[in-house]
């Protein structure tokens, strides 16, 4: 490409010579006789594709070379500037370099070859700079385009990632979290549990013969069932707990801080019930059973994969077992416990059906009156193989399963019937106490059930006394509700006793706000009476306080004469315990309370109660003479 060279010199001969030399190299040449003229030419030209190289003499009338080049540099920085001088004064050279930004300095007289080389170099340099410049511009342009491209690309990648993540993290059929997300969640749950020293439960749920649904009703129906089940399960879990579809017909629940293993078993049972409820699909009811495997952090594993696979293994074991609807713990130990619990639950239902429950009665004695004033009804289970089983072994199952309600209703009915028949034969009013579990008391239906039983049995509550024993812990619940409930019971003519007093949380001030008639001092206090002086003081305080509130005090678990004497001296009103009698069967109780037999204090009697024709008055006299 040919470039233009502008020659500036006030000496026309030199100008002409240089012009010839430079033109011979294929350059276009413009000439100017002064700096001012040169500026005019530059101004008129289109510098971009016009004049890249300027060669100027230093000494000229008017503007000198350095001044000219300095101005050109400012206005057209891309030009290549060369200074020609006959007198290379160092100052001039410095100025030319610093102010004029020259590419080269030529000294006069200069050889034509030297001029030619300088111009060629300048042209090359100009070309290089220009190319570099263009390249940079291009690069910048390309960069800009790239930026735009990459930002749209980024957006697309992001939305695609989001889509992919969603597909990975959520199950498209049910909308539930996937195994991947569940792994994350379990990981978090484990971390939190580790900090709080808590347990995390993993329940793996499979469906029994789900493939049959698919085969007989089609995949759409199968999918519909899975979706409905997902909804049910989701409604079932609490905030913070998670439910996921792992694959196929396998679901998983992660429960934080699920408490005891009993609670976990209860939960598994409830989930199985949720699964077993019929699904309505295409107007058809489908019933399906589930099976659940359970693993626990930290017992059965420390990582999500471990816990999942152990829960799944447990699930596989229980699958198909008796049509399933069953659960199983991964740990053998827990399994034994839970299977015995399951069979116990089943046995309890059977026991109720087969009328294996029995009511035993423990006589309550008033030494001052010298007679048995009544009895406390205590439940027993007449097991076909194990014999008579005490309530400590099965009461919790009744409470857990809710069977306590029908069982108590049955017991209450039985007690009321007996009370009616004794009352007909007894000359004194008879007291009959029934234990009511707090769980039951809280049910709205409770009062109605009691009313129904009293009505059905024809019990006259103005002549005989029915009492309910409740534990202090009921008082932990909403005070107003408790007051209302207890008042309702009182209004029916039923008395109330606080059972196991001293073992719970009851503050004495509570008692003043409640319609209570009796306080039963717990056996543990009676036991301590003969051991420490402090125990006596505590029991004394309880009795005085109770009396000041017009409450009767009954001591439970009196086993020795010594205990009886102390309690009598402390002002206790009535007594119950092995010293007088162990709980006795219904027949013996009827005989005793209708006055046909009498009670003898007999230590360590064996159930059933031994009857001896010795009157209790003797006992009263005996203890009086000893005291
Ligand atoms: P509780 O109400 O404190 O009943 C007293 C328990 O102490 C009875 O145990 C009785 O047999 C026992 N006992 C009585 N005198 C003595 C004694 O001198 N020494 C000793 N060591 N024990 C004595 P049981 O019958 O095993 O009842 C245990 C608990 O089960 C009862 O404690 C009561 O809380 C509950 N329970 C019993 N029957 C029923 C029921 O029908 N319904 C409800 N909800 N709970 C019941
Ligand atoms: Ca009791
Ligand atoms: Ca008690």
């Amino acid at each position: 490409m040919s470039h233009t060279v502008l020659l500036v010199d006030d000496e026309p001969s030199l100008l002409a010579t240089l012009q010839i030399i430079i033109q011979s190299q294929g350059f276009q040449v413009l000439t100017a006789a002064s700096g001012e003229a040169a500026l005019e030419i530059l101004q008129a030209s289109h510098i971009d594709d016009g004049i890249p190289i300027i060669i100027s003499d230093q000494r000229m009338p008017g503007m000198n070379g350095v001044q000219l080049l300095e101005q050109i540099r400012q206005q057209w920085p891309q030009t290549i500037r060369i200074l020609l001088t006959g007198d290379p004064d160092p100052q001039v050279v410095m100025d030319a370099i610093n102010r004029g930004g020259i590419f080269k300095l030529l000294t006069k007289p200069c050889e034509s070859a030297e001029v030619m080389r300088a111009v060629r170099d300048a042209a090359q340099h100009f070309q290089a700079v220009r190319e570099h410049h263009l390249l940079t511009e291009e690069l910048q342009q390309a960069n800009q385009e790239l930026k735009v491209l990459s930002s749209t690309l980024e957006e697309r990648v992001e939305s695609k990632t989001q889509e992919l993540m969603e597909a990975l993290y959520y199950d498209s059929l049910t909308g539930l979290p996937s195994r991947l997300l569940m792994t994350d969640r379990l990981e978090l749950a484990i971390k939190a549990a580790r900090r709080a020293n808590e347990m995390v439960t993993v329940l793996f749920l499979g469906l029994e013969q789900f493939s049959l649904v698919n085969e007989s009703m089609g995949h759409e129906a199968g999918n519909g069932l899975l979706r409905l089940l997902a909804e049910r399960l989701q409604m079932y879990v609490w905030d913070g707990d998670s439910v996921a579809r792992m694959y196929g017909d396998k679901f998983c629940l992660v429960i934080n801080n699920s408490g005891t293993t009993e609670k976990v078993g209860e939960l598994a049972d409830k989930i199985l019930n949720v699964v077993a409820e019929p699904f309505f699909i295409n107007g058809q009811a489908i019933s399906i059973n589930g099976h659940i495997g359970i693993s626990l952090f930290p017992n059965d594993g420390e990582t999500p994969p471990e816990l999942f696979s152990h829960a799944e293994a447990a699930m596989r074991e229980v699958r198909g077992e008796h049509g399933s609807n069953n659960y199983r713990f991964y740990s053998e130990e827990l399994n034994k416990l839970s299977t015995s619990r399951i069979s116990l639950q089943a046995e309890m239902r059977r026991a109720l059906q087969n009328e294996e429950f029995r009511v035993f009665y423990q006589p309550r004695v008033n030494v001052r009156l010298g007679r048995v004033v009544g009895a406390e009804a205590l439940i027993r289970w007449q097991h076909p193989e194990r014999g008579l089983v005490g309530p400590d072994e099965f009461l919790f199952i009744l409470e857990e399963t809710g069977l306590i309600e029908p069982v108590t209703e049955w017991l209450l009915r039985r007690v009321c019937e007996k009370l009616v028949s004794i009352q007909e034969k007894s000359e004194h009013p008879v007291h009959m106490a029934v234990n009511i579990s707090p769980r039951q008391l809280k049910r709205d239906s409770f009062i109605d059930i009691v009313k129904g039983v009293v009505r059905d049995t024809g019990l006259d509550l103005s002549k005989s006394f029915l009492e309910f024993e409740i534990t202090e812990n009921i008082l932990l619940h909403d005070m107003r509700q408790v007051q209302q409930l207890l008042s309702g019971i009182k209004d029916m003519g039923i008395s109330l006793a606080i059972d196991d007093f001293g073992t719970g949380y009851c503050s004495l001030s509570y008692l003043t706000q409640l319609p209570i008639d009796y306080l039963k001092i717990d056996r543990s206090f009676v036991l301590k009476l003969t051991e420490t002086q402090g125990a006596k003081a505590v029991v004394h305080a309880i009795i005085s306080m109770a009396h000041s509130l017009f409450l009767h005090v009954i001591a439970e678990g009196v086993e020795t004469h010594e205990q009886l004497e102390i309690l009598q001296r402390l002002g206790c009103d009535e007594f119950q315990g092995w010293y007088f009698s162990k709980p006795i069967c219904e027949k013996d109780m009827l005989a005793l309370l209708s006055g046909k037999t009498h009670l003898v204090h007999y230590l360590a009697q064996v159930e059933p109660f031994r009857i001896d024709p010795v009157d209790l008055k003797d006992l009263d006299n005996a203890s009086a003479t000893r005291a």
Side-chain angles (χ1 to χ4, degrees):
M1 170 200 226
S2 94
H3 296 292
T4 307
V5 178
L6 174 60
L7 287 172
V8 192
D9 205 316
D10 57 329
E11 238 176 277
S13 60
L14 188 62
L15 212 52
T17 319
L18 283 174
Q19 185 172 13
I20 291 164
I21 296 171
I22 294 168
Q23 268 173 342
S24 76
Q25 294 299 302
F27 291 95
Q28 270 194 322
V29 177
L30 295 173
T31 56
S34 68
E36 290 76 6
L39 286 175
E40 269 169 39
I41 291 172
L42 280 168
Q43 233 113 45
S45 75
H46 213 294
I47 199 85
D48 278 344
D49 31 40
I51 305 157
I53 302 165
I54 294 120
I55 302 175
S56 174
D57 184 26
Q58 164 62 5
R59 204 177 301 158
M60 294 182 291
M63 189 180 266
N64 68 26
V66 170
Q67 285 168 334
L68 172 68
L69 293 181
E70 188 180 12
Q71 205 167 325
I72 292 174
R73 180 192 185 183
Q74 281 161 5
Q75 260 178 287
W76 298 279
Q78 68 273 45
T79 52
I80 306 294
R81 298 166 297 275
I82 296 171
L83 188 70
L84 195 61
T85 176
D87 144 44
D89 168 21
Q91 186 56 49
V92 170
V93 175
M94 290 297 291
D95 284 350
I97 293 168
N98 292 336
R99 290 161 52 197
I102 58 164
F103 172 70
K104 223 169 186 116
L105 183 84
L106 292 174
T107 44
K108 288 185 202 172
C110 50
E111 307 241 328
S112 60
E114 203 183 340
V115 174
M116 283 180 331
R117 200 173 337 114
V119 173
R120 262 201 319 270
D121 288 352
Q124 245 170 34
H125 182 72
F126 177 82
Q127 191 62 29
V129 168
R130 188 175 161 122
E131 270 165 20
H132 176 76
H133 190 74
L134 282 175
L135 217 65
T136 313
E137 252 177 25
E138 245 171 68
L139 219 66
Q140 272 172 353
Q141 174 78 19
N143 263 344
Q144 193 59 33
E145 280 165 21
L146 215 67
K147 234 189 226 163
V148 174
L149 204 73
S150 82
S151 82
T152 49
L153 213 68
E154 237 165 60
E155 272 166 31
R156 282 176 56 190
V157 167
E158 208 168 285
S159 84
K160 203 73 203 163
T161 312
Q162 184 76 20
E163 265 172 44
L164 277 172
M165 280 312 210
E166 248 158 55
L168 280 174
Y169 273 148
Y170 290 94
D171 167 44
S172 59
L173 177 67
T174 60
L176 288 182
S178 66
R179 184 184 188 111
L180 196 68
L181 181 54
M182 199 59 158
T183 307
D184 285 0
R185 294 209 176 152
L186 180 54
E187 191 118 40
L188 287 177
I190 288 172
K191 269 190 198 144
R194 198 170 266 138
R195 252 181 274 124
N197 219 355
E198 285 172 354
M199 195 166 85
V200 180
T201 306
V202 177
L203 297 123
F204 222 96
L205 165 71
L207 302 179
E208 209 67 36
Q209 298 190 303
F210 173 70
S211 53
L212 272 185
V213 177
N214 273 337
E215 282 160 22
S216 59
M217 299 184 67
H219 280 272
E220 244 336 288
N223 286 349
L225 190 148
L226 293 177
R227 252 177 276 168
L228 288 174
L229 176 59
E231 277 171 29
R232 284 188 195 173
L233 292 175
Q234 233 165 349
M235 289 209 294
Y236 195 76
V237 297
W238 293 78
D239 277 353
D241 297 336
S242 306
V243 54
R245 179 170 172 230
M246 302 298 264
Y247 60 89
D249 60 344
K250 305 291 181 289
F251 293 81
C252 180
L253 291 99
V254 167
I255 311 291
N256 302 300
N257 187 24
S258 31
T260 58
T261 48
E262 280 99 72
K263 283 266 176 325
V264 173
E266 256 176 63
L267 185 76
D269 259 336
K270 282 184 191 156
I271 292 167
L272 288 170
N273 285 340
V274 163
V275 176
E277 270 171 42
F279 293 91
F280 291 94
I281 290 166
N282 302 335
Q284 203 178 329
I286 309 173
S287 288
I288 199 161
N289 276 343
H291 40 259
I292 290 177
I294 304 168
S295 66
L296 305 170
F297 167 85
N299 307 40
D300 302 331
E302 303 253 318
T303 64
E306 268 178 331
L307 289 162
F308 284 146
S309 85
H310 289 167
E312 197 176 357
M315 179 202 71
R316 256 185 259 114
E317 292 223 352
V318 77
R319 181 171 55 193
E321 248 175 39
H322 331 289
S324 206
N325 209 19
N326 218 338
Y327 65 85
R328 194 182 173 87
F329 284 95
Y330 176 71
S331 130
E332 255 327 299
E333 230 170 288
L334 290 181
N335 257 341
K336 282 202 194 105
L337 221 104
S338 74
T339 40
S340 72
R341 194 167 281 252
I342 289 168
S343 60
L344 204 55
Q345 284 185 6
E347 273 191 289
M348 289 281 96
R349 282 178 227 276
R350 198 207 53 215
L352 182 61
Q353 260 169 16
N354 297 355
E355 297 185 26
E356 289 170 9
F357 291 112
R358 301 279 177 274
V359 190
F360 269 60
Y361 296 84
Q362 185 172 42
R364 196 162 99 204
V365 176
N366 186 315
V367 182
R368 219 167 10 230
L369 295 176
R371 61 182 165 84
V372 176
V373 290
E376 175 180 2
L378 294 161
I379 193 156
R380 299 284 181 270
W381 176 19
Q382 185 65 57
H383 193 281
E385 284 136 37
R386 290 166 61 201
L388 210 56
V389 180
D392 288 342
E393 284 186 57
F394 61 85
L395 213 58
F396 66 99
I397 298 273
L398 291 182
E399 299 215 348
E400 254 178 42
T401 52
L403 280 172
I404 186 76
E405 290 181 29
V407 170
T408 307
E409 186 177 347
W410 168 84
L411 180 135
L412 189 63
R413 195 172 293 276
R414 189 116 192 151
V415 169
C416 289
E417 282 166 3
K418 300 304 153 208
L419 192 49
V420 170
S421 77
I422 302 163
Q423 201 57 76
E424 284 166 2
K425 295 166 199 145
S426 169
E427 44 183 308
H428 305 290
V430 174
H431 296 254
M432 204 60 96
V434 173
N435 293 285
I436 305 293
S437 84
R439 177 190 161 123
Q440 209 178 343
L441 211 56
K442 276 185 280 170
R443 299 283 295 219
D444 293 335
S445 53
F446 181 67
I447 291 213
D448 290 334
I449 290 175
V450 176
K451 277 185 182 153
V453 170
V454 170
R455 192 187 50 229
D456 294 350
T457 53
L459 178 65
D460 182 355
L461 286 167
S462 64
K463 289 198 193 120
S464 46
F465 296 96
L466 182 62
E467 295 165 14
F468 285 168
E469 295 191 2
I470 55 175
T471 58
E472 307 171 58
N473 298 350
I474 180 73
L475 307 177
L476 282 180
H477 300 280
D478 178 30
M479 194 59 177
R480 269 238 301 276
Q481 233 177 317
V482 173
Q483 268 170 336
Q484 223 170 17
L485 182 79
L486 298 186
S487 302
I489 294 171
K490 278 291 287 186
D491 290 346
M492 289 170 62
I494 297 169
S495 309
L496 288 164
I498 297 285
D499 204 354
D500 305 338
F501 187 81
T503 58
Y505 309 89
C506 188
S507 110
L508 295 178
S509 67
Y510 267 179
L511 294 180
T512 60
Q513 304 171 42
L514 295 168
I516 303 290
D517 308 278
Y518 297 94
L519 243 182
K520 298 190 82 170
I521 297 180
D522 191 63
R523 193 167 74 88
S524 56
F525 287 98
V526 176
L527 265 177
K528 276 185 243 155
L529 273 182
T530 47
E531 289 164 14
T532 66
Q533 209 51 38
K536 259 184 227 162
V538 170
V539 173
H540 185 55
I542 293 176
I543 294 172
S544 320
M545 179 275 316
H547 283 165
S548 72
L549 295 173
F550 306 106
L551 301 179
H552 256 64
V553 182
I554 305 167
E556 299 186 295
V558 180
E559 290 182 1
T560 67
H561 188 81
E562 200 183 354
Q563 289 167 341
L564 172 68
E565 268 183 336
I566 297 171
L567 285 161
Q568 262 186 300
R569 249 185 284 132
L570 295 176
C572 189
D573 304 291
E574 292 179 7
F575 309 89
Q576 240 179 280
W578 294 354
Y579 182 67
F580 301 104
S581 168
K582 282 199 165 181
I584 53 177
C585 69
E586 215 164 64
K587 196 169 120 271
D588 292 344
M589 183 274 300
L590 283 171
L592 180 70
L593 285 172
S594 55
K596 286 206 190 99
T597 55
H598 296 280
L599 192 68
V600 64
H601 64 285
Y602 183 80
L603 221 52
Q605 293 171 91
V606 193
E607 271 177 338
F609 166 64
R610 241 190 70 177
I611 303 158
D612 237 310
V614 179
D615 203 286
L616 213 119
K617 282 190 187 106
D618 300 339
L619 167 71
D620 205 355
N621 298 336
S623 70
T625 42
R626 233 169 288 173

